[in-house]
Amino acid sequence: MTRPAIFTDLPAPSTERRPVSDTRHGITRVDEYAWLRADNWQEVFRDPSVLDPDIRSHLESENAYQAELMADTADLRKALFAEMKGRIKEDDSSVPMKDGPFAYGSSFKKGGEQPRYFRVPSEGGAEEIILDGDKEADGHAYFRLGGIDHSSDHKRLIWGFDDKGSEFYTLRVRDIASGEELGDLVGDTGGSGTWDAANTGFFYTRLDPNHRPSKVFYHALGSEAVADRLIYEETDPGFFMNVGGTRSNEWIMISISDHETSEYRLFPATDPLAAPKLVAAREIGLQYDLEEGGDIFFVLTNADGAKDFKIMTAPISDPVRTNWKELVAHEPGRLILSVIGFKDFMIRLERKEGLPRIVVHERATGAEHLISFPEEAFSLGLSGSYEYDTDTMRFSYSSMTTPSQLFDYNMRTRERTLLKTQEVPSGHNIEDYVTRRLMAPASDGELVPISLIHHRDTPLDGTAPCLLYGYGSYGMTIPASFNTNCLSLVDRGFVYAIAHIRGGKDKGYAWYDDGKRATKINTFTDFIASAHHLVAERYTSHDRIVAQGGSAGGMLMGAVANMAPEAFAGIIAEVPFVDVLTTMLDDTLPLTPPEWPEWGNPIASEADYKTIAAYSPYDNVAAVDYPPILAVAGLTDPRVTYWEPAKWAARLRERKSGNSPVLFKINMDSGHAGASGRFSRLEEVAFNYAFALKVAGRA
């Protein structure tokens, strides 16, 4: 197709070429823009001011270029921001959850960017603010709260914060009654802490200089962080590690995993100095999760070929694998996602035929029942409970047209109590919108689910623009949930669609397996097939489809831009993982070793090298007519480092044909998640949507 001239013809930033060659498996690659990676990147994550001046100057020129190209959308962005903000209840509050004498929740004040955490007496009484995020964020260009954990005696609070966007969190301890911070200050953590049973100290993971959670420590209240006791160290850089407690306050669990293998070590919360006990040693491909169950643990596992997982039990006295007994058998095509244990019940969230469902299992009798829902496509979430000995659990429900609803559910009586429906202050009429679930035929005959929403008045004759969103990695499923932001596109005549492509677990674990490593190409061809199906069904046309994805979904954007540029009117790639081969060849980067099970290890395997090289977006930029591309990144992002999209933008401009521009927008004060405040983030969404409207001819 002939692309219309949409943007002002301005000279793009010129990126100096400094070729560096790399030879692996007898194959040599040349990278002209490797210099954009700061040699001191670890320091930059902690202190952006130490960035090399040449790199900073180049990034600033990129921001100046995209700002000028998007200058004519300034009023549109303001209108979009106002609309999206108008759909948010500014003084919104969660429904507090009971934990003994108090119920805990969070809220926002009018105009506030950060959440406030509060509690109220369970029997009724005045609300008490125990942490005010806006107050803590004052004076910081970037600020994000981490985990919040109150002690079981309700006297103290562990809370974490990151004020750089680097995801190195600092932990503090607050006396709830006085609001004063104790002297305890622990830096370089994963963001949360877990109390011991006596509330005299807490456990946490510490990140190493490469941002790996490699050590679990115990911090005794009143001591210096340098004196914290090492509980466990994970020496394999390919594994993530986390520490947490159970709701009964009986156990501390250390979970260790990569994308296909897991391992647990546990010890009593009453004995913080105990040596962690191994449950089942890691075996490549063996996954399991533990959940408390009184005198047993529930074990959610894929052991013995249970690809879509089964549930077993293990005695707390000796929970090793040889003592596991089957409780819920494996059923191919029914993927069990999570388990929550209660004194008399067990809840599981599972997905069957592409849709989630909740199953209640009565422990005494083994009887089960489903919690049912009427819509064609929807999203469910388990909120669980702070308490273990209770008949009440909490869950959320929404669809692309139905605002989120929060329910308390009595597992014994089956009574469902609606606690809250998401308010849309500017108004929302469900009858104005239509949500559908389509099945797009893939190139190999598989059917790819598509969830979509459009306004009831939108003509379905091929003239409507479409924003097509995709992810397709790590087994992540993008839910068909309510999204107030996308209504700003839908109300302007867009079809908003989510392609549930392979690489996620939308249709079971096999759907994930068929979109990783050697079969990764399926992720990209599924997305392209989804675009073709939307056109074939007259929802849109190729010159009106804007594709969007972030992180690994940004890699998807780069891949489909290379493979089928003619299928899209524009591409939005947020924090895009586009230099896959270079990153997977660099085992010093924060996430590279843990990523090898997902992508392959091109250092050790020539086959993996060639597989990744065949699709890595940066390595496959060609002399083709790309659509307009917007890449968005954060300077302090430890997950997708800023230099990946910076290099990608430079190479695209160097090699592509046609006149469509490549815009690179980098937030110099944030990381992977973008701006930290709830309204600041809306400004970024408004920018992306303005780009989509512009390239689709609706600006």
Side-chain angles (χ1 to χ4, degrees), residues 180-492:
E180 295 179 359
E181 305 296 343
L182 305 187
D184 305 83
L185 190 71
V186 183
D188 297 344
T189 79
S192 62
T194 298
W195 290 102
D196 64 19
N199 303 305
T200 55
F202 59 86
F203 304 89
Y204 65 93
T205 55
R206 183 177 294 170
L207 307 183
D208 67 16
N210 283 352
H211 210 274
R212 295 173 183 144
S214 58
K215 297 178 181 179
V216 171
F217 282 90
Y218 174 71
H219 176 80
L221 293 184
S223 64
E224 296 292 330
V226 294
D228 289 354
R229 182 177 183 270
L230 178 65
I231 300 297
Y232 182 77
E233 179 175 5
E234 176 52 54
T235 57
D236 188 333
F239 282 78
F240 298 98
M241 185 164 58
N242 189 34
V243 62
T246 59
R247 282 167 295 130
S248 63
N249 297 311
E250 292 183 5
W251 298 97
I252 301 296
M253 296 183 178
I254 298 174
S255 60
I256 305 164
S257 66
D258 63 13
H259 294 297
E260 64 181 14
T261 303
S262 56
E263 180 179 276
Y264 271 80
R265 295 170 185 266
L266 54 85
F267 54 97
T270 54
D271 188 1
L273 303 183
K277 181 178 180 179
L278 177 65
V279 175
R282 67 191 71 170
E283 299 175 17
I284 294 176
L286 173 65
Q287 299 180 52
Y288 68 97
D289 282 315
L290 293 185
E291 169 68 9
E292 67 179 324
D295 59 347
I296 61 168
F297 290 112
F298 296 107
V299 185
L300 176 62
T301 182
N302 67 348
D304 311 312
K307 194 166 191 174
D308 286 321
F309 290 78
K310 61 183 176 179
I311 301 173
M312 307 186 80
T313 62
I316 63 168
S317 58
D318 193 12
V320 297
R321 186 175 174 185
T322 53
N323 291 334
W324 295 1
K325 294 182 179 180
E326 185 173 277
L327 178 66
V328 178
H330 175 242
E331 181 184 310
R334 179 198 63 188
L335 178 64
I336 303 177
L337 299 168
S338 61
V339 174
I340 300 179
F342 296 92
K343 182 175 179 291
D344 296 324
F345 298 91
M346 179 195 68
I347 303 295
R348 67 179 187 266
L349 178 64
E350 57 188 37
R351 183 175 292 111
K352 189 172 183 178
E353 298 175 350
L355 290 175
R357 62 187 194 180
I358 296 171
V359 182
V360 179
H361 175 99
E362 187 172 12
R363 295 179 61 177
T365 65
E368 295 189 345
H369 68 270
L370 286 172
I371 306 176
S372 60
F373 307 93
E375 291 189 87
E376 188 174 332
F378 54 86
S379 172
L380 291 176
L382 286 180
S383 303
S385 169
Y386 279 128
E387 299 178 321
Y388 174 72
D389 186 2
T390 178
D391 289 343
T392 302
M393 56 82 68
R394 186 169 290 183
F395 70 88
S396 61
Y397 171 89
S398 75
S399 74
M400 297 184 82
T401 56
T402 304
S404 180
Q405 297 174 324
L406 188 68
F407 293 90
D408 266 352
Y409 184 80
N410 188 298
M411 296 174 281
R412 195 173 303 278
T413 66
R414 306 189 185 187
E415 180 182 4
R416 187 185 309 187
T417 303
L418 177 62
L419 301 174
K420 179 183 178 181
T421 298
Q422 178 182 353
E423 290 186 47
V424 183
S426 59
H428 176 70
N429 183 359
I430 295 175
E431 299 304 318
D432 287 344
Y433 304 96
V434 176
T435 185
R436 292 290 313 281
R437 190 169 180 86
L438 310 180
M439 302 300 284
S443 55
D444 61 356
E446 287 283 2
L447 295 177
V448 182
I450 303 173
S451 300
L452 64 81
I453 180 175
H454 63 82
H455 197 281
R456 192 169 295 279
D457 296 336
T458 297
L460 301 181
D461 57 3
T463 61
C466 172
L467 190 140
L468 179 59
Y469 185 89
Y471 188 76
S473 291
Y474 306 115
M476 301 270 300
T477 298
I478 305 301
S481 56
F482 190 63
N483 175 358
T484 59
N485 292 340
C486 78
L487 296 178
S488 285
L489 294 179
V490 173
D491 287 346
R492 287 174 170 81

Side-chain angles (χ1 to χ4, degrees), residues 138-158:
D138 189 40
H140 296 280
Y142 178 95
F143 188 85
R144 187 177 296 277
L145 288 169
I148 309 291
D149 188 27
H150 60 270
S151 58
S152 60
D153 61 8
H154 306 278
K155 293 181 179 179
R156 297 187 179 96
L157 186 77
I158 307 169

Side-chain angles (χ1 to χ4, degrees), residues 45 167 471 474 550-555 573-580 583 589-591 595 632-646 664 666 670-673:
F45 286 171
E167 300 181 41
Y471 188 76
Y474 306 115
S551 196
M555 180 268 293
E574 298 181 273
V575 289
F577 178 36
V578 283
D579 195 9
V580 185
T583 294
L589 289 175
L591 298 182
E595 297 290 289
V632 181
L635 178 62
T636 56
D637 185 350
R639 299 174 186 263
V640 177
T641 50
Y642 73 85
W643 56 82
E644 291 202 30
F664 178 39
I666 180 165
S670 79
H672 195 68

